[in-house]
Amino acid sequence: MSYQTTLGWSLVTSGLVTLFLWVLPGSDLLWGLLLLVIGGLTLYVRQ
């Protein structure tokens, strides 16, 4: 059950990030790296 919830949130988040990257100015690579760092920090802090 937890796997399905995680998968669902992952897909929703991916869709939102794609929309944000389309709207935000600047390099997609820069935003992608920034979001990876933020996500990594979030996972690290939650543990």
Side-chain angles (χ1 to χ4, degrees):
M1 192 65 165
S2 177
Y3 173 74
Q4 289 179 336
T5 303
T6 304
L7 181 62
W9 276 113
S10 178
L11 291 172
V12 168
T13 304
S14 296
L16 290 174
V17 167
T18 302
L19 291 175
F20 282 134
L21 289 179
W22 186 59
V23 172
L24 292 172
S27 170
D28 289 352
L29 177 62
L30 178 65
W31 282 111
L33 291 174
L34 181 63
L35 290 169
L36 278 174
V37 169
I38 292 171
L41 286 173
T42 303
L43 289 173
Y44 180 74
V45 168
R46 288 187 66 185
Q47 287 182 352

